[in-house]
Amino acid sequence: MARYIFITGGVVSSLGKGLASAALGALLQARGYTVRLRKLDPYLNVDPGTMSPFEHGEVFVTDDGAETDLDLGHYERFTGVSARTTDSISSGRIYSNVLEKERRGDYLGKTIQVIPHVTNEIKDFLRIGDAEVDFMLCEIGGTVGDIEGLPFFEAIRQFIHERPRGQSILMHLTLLPYLAASGELKTKPTQHSVKELQSIGLAPDVLVCRSEHPIPEKEREKIALFCNVRKEAVIPAYDLRTIYEAPLAYHRAGLDQAVLDAFGITPAPKPNLARWEDVMDRITHPEGEVRVAIVGKYTQLEDAYKSIAEALTHGGMANRTKVRAEWIDAEIFEREDPAPWLENFHAILVPGGFGERGTEGKIKAAQFAREKKIPYLGICLGMQMAVIEAARNLVGLANAGSEEFDHEAGAKRFTPVVYHLKEWVQGNHVVARKVTDDKGGTMRLGAYTAHLKDGSRVASVYGEAVIEERHRHRYEVDIQYRDQLEKCGLIFSGMSPDGRLPEIVEVKNHPWFIGVQFHPELKSKPFAPHPLFADFVRAAVEVSRLV
């Protein structure tokens, strides 16, 4: 039976619950335990798949095809444990499940209520995989006091009481604001947040207190006294140079020890933190620096490309190089020449996205990289834009474009070298889709196999002939243009097992130009950088040495 750690937040949102959860998971692993991390989100969307990146940041996709919160990306990057569909749930999904059961008659005519039906559904979710790991870490989104979060807190209260004593603890993150006028850290918001928790029947065992200033010993004692926790369980959490410092910083602050003490695990196994010490050494002692331009359409919110930014950092670590990523709005290139913007960069990356806005700018970025021999990595839509650019400027299809943009405009304007994917093979069956299908959860999602061409650059990068990567798309490069494109130097170097879906393209006689239909950034980790990102940064380093 797993021990459960519930992670909640108070005072304000965006305190770093996801990062604290991931760091704690990494510390428990360092002590020899197995862990699994989960996210419970109170919003009514069934999943984040249909949310705007401006609203919610990136969508993190799991191997089994779940569209989840970006915090699951933190969990994977810090623990190396692949997330599953069963590691993310929202109020929308919970209510959807309950209503489906009601429609089927599963409740035998009973009146459906939040207690017990909704709370039972949440508890059933929490129990999944109970026997698989030593520790189950469950992060609850939002802050204590949010009305939409109450069913989750009530379910957790029941869950804790139904399990044997000492099998579950609560870790609560709060903020200690600093008043410059009086030169004081204020503990009252934390006290009120804990009081709010206590009013719904929950009491924290560990308090993690975010602060921009050192927390004096007397303030820790005051928090411990008024919040009814041990002083050693009041953990200071300060701003860090990099998120990858979090495991070492939380260990120094005593978080993992406080958690194990709360479970009564003594003596606790000693941690082996060599992995994280090496990660920090690579980040803090780079031997060079490269500049990478990310030409995208959601550049106002860096969380929209969170995994890409982190994967670039990992690629830099693999080469002991600092990667300075700079975000450029693709729409600028629809009005201006990209050369003055891009000529001082050592590499160009065009990420995924949806819709026509900014795509002509992405096409110009791909053209600049191809013609100027600058390393280029196109991801999902970034690959499709590279294919459209080659079709226009090398093959001579002046109107080459994507069906996606015609569907959006409601008019046929392009020769579709990228088309709407109507069917594909998933496992042992064929999946069929129509343009009119719902937007949520109807894309080609999750891990799919690709076969790499012998002698291709990607085959040498991966060091193997068959790979498996995560996808999230509903449009695909049309294979009927393959011969024309390959004659002009754009090679289809990765294909689906049935040979129908292009997965990777690359340009011949170019230092490094690769487009991939999948999202390699989702599988990159600081201690295991993705080979594509590691080699992309290596190519950028070579360019930087030539300049």
Side-chain angles (χ1 to χ4, degrees):
M1 185 183 288
R3 293 180 170 93
Y4 278 76
I5 303 167
F6 295 101
I7 298 105
T8 60
V11 184
V12 294
S13 59
S14 302
L15 284 178
K17 289 195 304 296
L19 185 57
S21 304
L24 177 56
L27 288 173
L28 292 170
Q29 280 183 326
R31 290 179 182 265
Y33 296 108
T34 55
V35 300
R36 182 148 221 100
L37 289 100
R38 291 203 163 131
K39 182 75 184 287
L40 292 78
D41 271 310
Y43 51 70
L44 284 175
N45 303 67
V46 171
D47 60 42
T50 56
M51 290 189 193
S52 162
F54 293 119
E55 186 88 17
H56 198 72
E58 76 169 7
V59 173
F60 188 84
V61 180
T62 62
D63 281 333
D64 57 3
E67 294 177 285
T68 70
D69 186 86
L70 59 82
D71 278 329
L72 270 77
H74 284 316
Y75 303 164
E76 277 204 25
R77 282 188 283 273
F78 278 74
T79 65
V81 177
S82 292
R84 305 178 197 160
T85 302
T86 51
D87 292 331
S88 178
I89 199 84
S90 68
S91 289
R93 173 64 68 192
I94 292 290
Y95 282 106
S96 177
N97 291 349
V98 168
L99 292 173
E100 283 173 18
K101 290 179 180 180
E102 185 270 335
R103 292 289 85 186
R104 284 200 306 265
D106 291 6
Y107 297 119
L108 304 176
K110 287 187 169 60
T111 302
I112 311 306
Q113 296 176 289
V114 173
I115 303 172
H117 301 99
V118 171
T119 51
N120 284 349
E121 191 71 25
I122 295 169
K123 288 188 290 183
D124 289 345
F125 167 76
L126 291 172
R127 292 188 192 100
I128 296 170
D130 194 346
E132 295 177 8
V133 292
D134 300 318
F135 287 95
M136 194 77 78
L137 286 73
C138 303
E139 177 196 347
I140 297 86
T143 54
V144 174
D146 294 345
I147 191 167
E148 60 263 38
L150 287 174
F152 285 107
F153 288 112
E154 171 58 22
I156 289 165
R157 185 193 68 77
Q158 294 176 20
F159 186 85
I160 291 172
H161 280 283
E162 289 166 6
R163 294 175 67 80
R165 186 177 292 276
Q167 287 295 108
S168 307
I169 69 165
L170 199 72
M171 180 173 119
H172 190 54
L173 266 80
T174 70
L175 175 69
L176 296 187
Y178 179 78
L179 295 186
S182 59
E184 290 180 299
L185 280 174
K186 305 307 291 184
T187 65
K188 192 62 73 177
T190 293
Q191 293 177 44
H192 280 298
S193 183
V194 171
K195 185 179 178 183
E196 185 80 37
L197 260 182
Q198 291 170 336
S199 72
I200 52 180
L202 295 168
D205 300 278
V206 178
L207 273 176
V208 177
C209 301
R210 286 295 307 271
S211 174
E212 295 177 354
H213 295 265
I215 304 173
E217 203 64 19
K218 67 181 180 62
E219 299 300 334
R220 285 183 70 188
E221 291 171 358
K222 182 178 179 182
I223 293 167
L225 177 65
F226 285 103
C227 296
N228 199 33
V229 297
R230 293 165 53 251
K231 191 187 82 171
E232 293 76 20
V234 178
I235 308 298
Y238 305 120
D239 293 347
L240 305 172
R241 292 168 291 175
T242 164
I243 61 171
Y244 300 114
E245 192 181 357
L248 296 176
Y250 275 122
H251 175 67
R252 289 193 298 269
L255 176 61
D256 47 333
Q257 189 62 54
V259 165
L260 294 171
D261 287 346
F263 281 112
I265 300 174
T266 54
K270 292 279 187 286
N272 177 2
L273 296 170
R275 167 188 278 184
W276 292 102
E277 287 161 356
D278 178 60
V279 164
M280 280 306 297
D281 180 60
R282 288 175 176 273
I283 287 180
T284 54
H285 297 99
E287 295 168 2
E289 180 176 301
V290 294
R291 297 179 69 215
V292 177
I294 301 177
V295 182
K297 62 190 286 188
Y298 310 120
T299 52
Q300 298 95 318
L301 181 70
E302 290 187 17
D303 272 359
Y305 301 120
K306 187 66 178 171
S307 290
I308 285 176
E310 298 309 322
L312 282 171
T313 299
H314 307 160
M317 291 160 62
N319 292 277
R320 282 203 173 268
T321 299
K322 179 179 176 60
V323 176
R324 190 176 296 282
E326 297 185 30
W327 313 84
I328 301 176
D329 189 339
E331 288 185 271
I332 292 171
F333 299 159
E334 296 178 0
R335 305 184 299 269
E336 301 179 28
D337 179 7
W341 290 83
L342 297 176
E343 60 191 5
N344 293 322
F345 286 97
H346 304 120
I348 296 167
L349 189 153
V350 175
F354 295 90
E356 188 174 0
R357 183 175 65 81
T359 52
E360 291 298 326
K362 292 181 178 184
I363 290 168
K364 285 187 177 178
Q367 180 180 1
F368 182 87
R370 180 179 60 78
E371 293 177 348
K372 301 298 183 184
K373 306 291 187 185
I374 296 172
Y376 175 89
L377 176 57
I379 295 173
C380 197
L381 185 66
M383 166 184 160
Q384 295 173 6
M385 295 304 97
V387 172
I388 290 171
E389 187 277 321
R392 288 181 185 178
N393 299 317
L394 296 178
V395 176
L397 294 171
N399 291 325
S402 171
E403 268 192 349
E404 179 179 6
F405 312 148
D406 280 349
H407 291 154
E408 188 179 349
K412 188 173 186 336
R413 300 165 296 156
F414 295 112
T415 302
V417 297
V418 176
Y419 70 101
H420 181 267
L421 190 56
K422 295 169 182 64
E423 64 175 46
W424 64 89
V425 176
Q426 184 174 25
N428 297 318
H429 66 283
V430 174
V431 180
R433 289 282 181 259
K434 299 191 294 291
V435 174
T436 53
D437 282 351
D438 289 344
K439 289 283 185 271
T442 59
M443 288 183 274
R444 185 171 178 240
L445 290 165
Y448 287 87
T449 300
H451 291 254
L452 307 185
K453 186 174 183 176
D454 286 345
S456 64
R457 178 178 291 279
V458 289
S460 66
V461 168
Y462 277 96
E464 48 192 306
V466 181
I467 60 169
E468 191 175 84
E469 294 282 5
R470 297 178 190 174
H471 294 66
R472 183 177 183 251
H473 64 106
R474 57 169 58 87
Y475 290 87
E476 178 70 62
V477 172
D478 196 332
I479 197 168
Q480 71 169 308
Y481 296 97
R482 177 176 183 170
D483 289 344
Q484 292 168 270
L485 287 162
E486 290 201 329
K487 282 176 188 172
C488 296
L490 188 74
I491 308 303
F492 285 52
S493 54
M495 299 294 296
S496 61
D498 61 6
R500 295 172 62 191
L501 303 180
E503 294 280 15
I504 306 172
V505 296
E506 58 185 67
V507 173
K508 270 174 67 176
N509 304 320
H510 190 287
W512 208 100
F513 191 107
I514 293 174
V516 296
Q517 185 57 71
F518 46 82
H519 289 269
E521 71 274 16
L522 300 179
K523 295 179 80 168
S524 187
K525 300 167 185 67
F527 42 82
H530 192 284
L532 271 177
F533 280 89
D535 205 57
F536 178 57
V537 174
R538 180 202 57 75
V541 170
E542 285 191 9
V543 170
S544 73
R545 288 172 180 160
L546 296 173
V547 175

